[in-house]
Structures are given as C-alpha cells and as structure tokens.
Amino acid sequence: MTPVRTARLTLRAWTTDADDVAFVFDMYSRMDVLRYLGRTPRVLEDPAEASAMIGRWEALRDGVLGVRAITTHDGERLGCLLLKRIPWSTDAAAPGTPEDIEIGWHLHPDAWGHGYAAEAAAAVLPLAWAAGVPRIVAVTNPANAASQSVCRRIGMPALGPTDRYYDSTCELFEFVAPAGSGAS
Ligand SMILES: CC(C)(COP(=O)(O)OP(=O)(O)OC[C@H]1O[C@@H](n2cnc3c(N)ncnc32)[C@H](O)[C@@H]1OP(=O)(O)O)[C@@H](O)C(=O)NCCC(=O)NCCS
C-alpha cells in the first residue's frame, strides 16, 4: 500500500509493530470512539485484540482498498481511514450481488476537531476512482452528527436512511464515480 500525503497528513498501512498496536488498542478501547460503530459496540480489552484487528486489515489490502493509518507528517498517529467492502444486511441483496465499497473514518479523540477525517478521505477517493470503483457509500449512525458533517464537507450527497447494510438503519451518503474516471 503506497503512502498517500496530503497537506497535513500521511496515510499508510498499519503494521503489527508495538507502537501501532498500542495506538489501535488505545483508540478502540474508548467508548467515545465506538459508540456509533456497529449494533453492539464493544471496547477492546486486550492489546492482542488490536494486533488481531491489524492482521484482519492486512488481509483486506489490495493497493486501493484497506484500512490506512492516518498520521501527521511527523508520524503522530491520529486514526484510521477505511475503504472497504461493506457488508449487506442479511436479506438486503440478491445472492452474488457484489458488495458496495464503503469509506469511513475513525479518529482518536485527541485528534478530533481539526478536519483530519475530511482531508484524509478526500485524498483516498481519487485512488478508488482511478481503480474503477463505480460508487462509494458512507453510512453513519443517525445520531452521529460529526460523521455526517464529514460526509457533507467532502461533498458526499445524503440519500436518507437505509437498512441495506450492517443489519441496521443508517444514514446513507453516496458518491458516484466522476465522468472520465476509470469506472466510467
Ligand atoms: C467522526 C469523526 C471522524 C469526526 O471527527 P472530527 O475531528 O470531529 O471532525 P471535524 O473536526 O472535521 O468535524 C466535522 C464536522 O462535525 C462537526 N462536529 C464535530 N463534533 C460534533 C458533534 N458532536 N455534534 C455535531 N457536530 C459535530 C464539526 O463542527 C464539523 O462541522 P463542519 O464540517 O460543518 O465544520 C470523529 O468524531 C470520530 O472519529 N468519531 C468516532 C468514530 C466514528 O464515529 N466514526 C464515524 C463512523 S460513521
């Protein structure tokens, strides 16, 4: 996974080095971070769970898709930028229907309030379009105003509530590949 640089940020692959594991453990052991993620959020209780999580992220990587570490240019870890297949709700899709691609952002609370999620997301979208991804969705818990603001800030149109993903009702945002990109 080639690192991506923005004005303030570097996006890179996570590793199972001790400092990466410690950051991931710290971030996902906070209910502040998890409270809008999934139907029944559960904080990590053991660093080994963070290491296993990074291992699962490594398996997702294909050069475009993956879970990237968001860091400053000095290497300070800030959070995760996710670009991955999104699970359908149990009865949402016909068998064999390809999964949509989801973009998402999880920042450590110490990094909130600086616009980092929008900056990181905007940098990864062009990679997806160049790779031929036809559309990208973002879903948020209906109460997650901060995440919905990130969607709006990067210009993602809001399509209203949906039950299509994660067996839950989410607010759906969607980008369609721009004309002239690899997908069109
Ligand atoms: C979602 C998240 C990445 C936003 O990070 P952030 O650093 O607060 O984002 P920003 O500073 O760019 O703020 C984004 C916008 O949300 C607004 N905002 C922040 N917290 C808010 C809150 N609690 N209620 C309402 N709006 C809020 C900001 O004012 C800003 O609005 P603007 O774009 O109109 O200026 C961060 O809250 C987070 O990591 N949360 C935990 C994980 C999570 O829920 N991820 C999203 C899953 S869908």
Side-chain angles (χ1 to χ4, degrees):
M1 182 178 275
T2 312
V4 176
R5 259 175 93 89
T6 71
R8 296 180 294 169
L9 306 172
T10 299
L11 279 65
R12 62 156 174 87
W14 286 104
T15 72
T16 48
D17 292 354
D19 289 349
D20 273 2
V21 172
F23 177 89
V24 168
F25 176 61
D26 180 19
M27 187 166 82
Y28 290 105
S29 59
R30 294 164 182 262
M31 194 42 88
D32 273 4
V33 172
L34 290 173
R35 81 186 144 140
Y36 294 131
L37 307 184
R39 280 158 62 95
T40 47
R42 189 185 69 82
V43 295
L44 298 190
E45 289 171 352
D46 186 317
E49 294 178 282
S51 194
M53 232 167 140
I54 294 172
R56 291 195 294 276
W57 295 343
E58 281 172 349
L60 290 178
R61 259 187 234 155
D62 73 353
V64 175
L65 301 186
V67 179
R68 291 169 167 85
I70 306 172
T71 75
T72 64
H73 293 319
D74 293 338
E76 183 193 351
R77 294 161 186 80
L78 305 172
C80 291
L81 196 283
L82 300 85
L83 189 68
K84 64 177 196 58
R85 296 185 173 82
I86 184 171
W88 294 113
S89 290
T90 311
D91 51 7
T97 307
E99 291 156 309
D100 289 325
I101 302 300
E102 166 189 33
I103 193 163
W105 30 77
H106 302 160
L107 294 184
H108 191 287
D110 291 350
W112 292 0
H114 299 278
Y116 292 142
E119 185 170 327
V124 163
L125 288 168
L127 305 180
W129 303 141
V133 172
R135 72 189 201 107
I136 294 176
V137 301
V139 294
T140 79
N141 182 301
N144 195 346
S147 191
Q148 289 159 24
S149 287
V150 173
C151 292
R152 282 193 290 275
R153 193 185 282 192
I154 62 173
M156 241 178 152
L159 301 189
T162 181
D163 296 325
R164 242 187 276 165
Y165 310 106
Y166 288 114
D167 284 323
S168 51
T169 301
C170 305
E171 289 299 317
L172 174 64
F173 295 79
E174 180 188 283
F175 266 138
V176 175
S181 70
S184 54

